[in-house]
Amino acid sequence: MPDGMRELKTSCDAGWTTSVAFTEEKLGSAEKTELDAHLENLIARADCTKNWTEKIFRQTEVLLQPNPSARIEEFFYEKLDKKIPSRTTNGELLGQYMLDAAKDFGPGTPYGSTLITVGEYQSRLGGAEREFLQTSAINFLTPLRNFLEGDWRTISKERRLLENRRLDLDICKARVKKAKQAEAKAAAEPDFQETRPRNYVLSASASAAEQELRVAQTEFDRQAEVTRLLLEGISSTHVNHLRCLHEFVEAQATYYAQCHQYMQELQKELSRYPNSFASNANPSTSATCPSPVSSATLPGVSPPCLASTSTPGIAREPSGPLKIQDVQQPSTGHRKAKVLYDYDAHDTSELSLLADELITVYTVPGMDPDWLVGERGNQKGKVPVTYLELLS
């Protein structure tokens, strides 16, 4: 028989023997060598680390890139070891659209000039997002990926090898046990007519089985030590991932701080533009509004105006701005709302909120749709709609 065929036959026989031993162990008909408690704990800890690291890695990918098609594209670029092409962020794209629209509407018009200002800040927000995505991918995603695709594969390979060494050890133990049982049976029932005593042959077979057992035990112990050292390295992995987690949070904090700063600057820029949004469509009336309302006035509520109609002899007395304490809860149209997030009131007209509490909300005619009037006991104030979940 050629050497190649002989090696293939030996490998197949060993694989078949190992499979039989594994099946017998699962069925409870064969003895199984148990690992020590320390090694079992290390294996359980490693499995837990791998499972949670994989979940955190996948969800972070979704957070940084919600588009599944873009994630698949980046995956193929990484597998092909090619540089991922630069992709325009949504903020940058929105900013460019606003700038292009301002050119068509006329940069000298109020709408066009405002589009230019907002578009520039949207582009800044998109640039901050791009920097955050790059920093997070390098400092957080890459170390997690390296663990899953590098260290964990090495650990899995050595664990499979340890399992094979354990099965080989169990096979050798079964052979020694069977050989000793046969030797004891032959010694109890000797056959004096044989030219060569049978117990002599069985004794030699038992000695060979014991030698194989010693070799298998040595290989198993060596592989168990290698696996133990690799599993103990999980502690170093936790330390490394902890550092990466701090860097990820730092990148998030920097990104959100930049966004907050840009939005504050944008609000200041927009406050410089004249308020030319309101116009009176009724030619038979003319309204003269008072000066801007105080901080206690509801935003979005049209201030009372001194109106004069074409009907002679009828006139209205001017009234002051509508204050929050002047607003009365309507008999119908109010409903309960659950607070989703904490909210700190910016002035006396607003109502501070605590997450998960229930309040009564309603609107008043002419009020900004982004705000509602909220009541909690004797307290009343305006609240943002985005912080609420309206209940039926």
Side-chain angles (χ1 to χ4, degrees), residues 11-83:
S11 177
C12 292
D13 292 341
W16 171 255
T17 305
T18 301
S19 300
V20 171
F22 181 78
T23 304
E24 290 177 348
E25 286 183 359
K26 291 298 182 182
L27 296 176
S29 59
E31 181 183 356
K32 177 181 178 181
T33 301
E34 299 292 342
L35 303 176
D36 63 86
H38 178 61
L39 187 56
E40 290 283 4
N41 291 335
L42 290 176
I43 292 176
R45 186 183 184 211
D47 289 336
C48 182
T49 300
K50 183 261 180 182
N51 292 335
W52 283 113
T53 301
E54 194 170 38
K55 290 180 180 180
I56 293 173
F57 174 78
R58 299 302 177 196
Q59 192 58 37
T60 306
E61 280 189 324
V62 174
L63 173 67
L64 300 180
Q65 179 51 266
N67 188 348
S69 300
R71 293 201 302 272
I72 294 175
E73 180 182 355
E74 293 175 358
F75 173 79
F76 281 112
Y77 273 105
E78 290 173 359
K79 292 303 179 182
L80 296 175
D81 198 17
K82 292 185 177 181
K83 183 179 179 181

Side-chain angles (χ1 to χ4, degrees), residues 84-363:
I84 300 176
S86 179
R87 184 180 287 106
T88 304
T89 62
N90 293 328
E92 292 173 323
L93 189 60
L94 175 59
Q96 187 59 48
Y97 284 168
M98 288 184 174
L99 294 176
D100 293 341
K103 295 179 182 178
D104 289 342
F105 296 147
T109 63
Y111 186 34
S113 60
T114 305
L115 278 174
I116 292 176
T117 302
V118 177
E120 290 175 350
Y121 277 94
Q122 291 297 329
S123 298
R124 294 184 187 181
L125 291 172
E129 180 184 3
R130 177 195 300 276
E131 183 177 354
F132 165 65
L133 296 179
Q134 293 175 349
T135 303
S136 300
I138 295 174
N139 295 338
F140 191 62
L141 282 182
T142 299
L144 298 186
R145 183 186 295 109
N146 291 341
F147 168 74
L148 294 173
E149 297 182 356
D151 297 347
W152 182 252
R153 289 186 179 180
T154 302
I155 292 174
S156 300
K157 177 182 177 182
E158 297 300 331
R159 284 178 60 181
R160 287 193 299 267
L161 189 56
L162 176 63
E163 181 67 12
N164 291 334
R165 293 288 182 265
R166 186 188 64 77
L167 291 174
D168 292 341
L169 178 61
D170 292 341
I171 292 171
C172 291
K173 288 181 178 179
R175 289 175 179 172
V176 170
K177 183 178 180 181
K178 188 179 297 184
K180 288 186 176 181
Q181 289 176 348
E183 184 179 7
K185 183 178 180 180
E189 300 176 0
D191 189 353
F192 299 101
Q193 297 180 356
E194 293 181 351
T195 56
R196 188 176 185 184
R198 184 173 51 177
N199 58 353
Y200 174 79
V201 177
L202 294 176
S203 177
S205 176
S207 298
E210 289 177 349
Q211 177 62 26
E212 291 180 358
L213 176 60
R214 286 191 290 271
V215 173
Q217 184 69 53
T218 302
E219 293 180 352
F220 172 76
D221 293 339
R222 183 186 300 113
Q223 185 59 37
E225 181 65 18
V226 172
T227 306
R228 182 184 64 81
L229 292 176
L230 287 175
L231 293 175
E232 288 177 347
I234 292 294
S235 298
S236 300
T237 300
H238 286 186
V239 173
N240 183 39
H241 289 179
L242 176 61
R243 177 183 58 82
C244 297
L245 184 60
H246 277 278
E247 294 179 354
F248 175 63
V249 173
E250 190 68 25
Q252 275 188 313
T254 302
Y255 167 62
Y256 292 129
Q258 286 180 334
C259 293
H260 181 66
Q261 178 184 356
Y262 290 151
M263 294 310 298
Q264 284 187 322
E265 294 176 358
L266 177 58
Q267 285 181 320
K268 291 180 180 178
E269 290 288 337
L270 294 181
S271 65
R272 299 174 184 175
Y273 291 98
N275 187 357
S276 59
F277 307 132
S279 62
N280 194 347
N282 188 354
S284 63
T285 62
S286 62
T288 304
C289 295
S291 59
V293 297
S294 64
S295 60
T297 305
L298 285 176
V301 179
S302 301
C305 302
L306 178 61
S308 61
T309 63
S310 57
T311 305
I314 299 178
R316 293 184 181 179
E317 294 297 328
S319 60
L322 182 63
K323 299 181 181 298
I324 189 64
Q325 58 268 24
D326 298 332
V327 178
Q328 299 297 326
Q329 183 180 140
S331 58
T332 60
H334 57 84
R335 58 196 301 187
K336 292 292 184 180
K338 179 182 178 182
V339 179
L340 300 177
Y341 320 102
D342 292 345
Y343 178 75
D344 294 329
H346 293 84
D347 52 50
T348 57
S349 69
E350 297 181 358
L351 179 65
S352 296
L353 303 175
L354 294 176
D356 297 330
E357 70 173 337
L358 294 177
I359 63 173
T360 302
V361 295
Y362 53 89
T363 185

